[in-house]
Amino acid sequence: MITIILLVAAILIVGALLAYIIRIVPQATSYVVERLGAYHSTWTTGIHFVIPFIDRIANKVTLK
């Protein structure tokens, strides 16, 4: 019983981590990404991947 609970908890943690890592930038927006507090890059439309605890999206800029 304990193993089932631990397995479900592990699956939920991995799912939450994947949801945080994968970012989809919508059309007509750009994301400014900081790595360790300094500017790293600007993401345009598409699928991008964030390095957990190192990268963060500092600003979401609309291009409308």
Side-chain angles (χ1 to χ4, degrees):
M1 184 68 175
I2 298 285
T3 58
I4 294 172
I5 294 172
L6 290 176
L7 182 63
V8 169
I11 290 172
L12 288 175
I13 289 171
V14 168
L17 190 61
L18 283 175
Y20 176 76
I21 290 173
I22 300 171
R23 296 296 173 132
I24 300 173
V25 180
Q27 184 177 358
T29 58
S30 291
Y31 288 2
V32 176
V33 179
E34 289 183 350
R35 179 166 287 172
L36 298 174
Y39 172 81
H40 174 62
S41 64
T42 302
W43 291 347
T44 56
T45 304
I47 298 175
H48 300 278
F49 301 96
V50 175
I51 300 173
F53 309 111
I54 303 225
D55 289 345
R56 81 177 185 100
I57 297 173
N59 197 5
K60 297 177 183 177
V61 180
T62 181
L63 303 175
K64 292 181 182 177

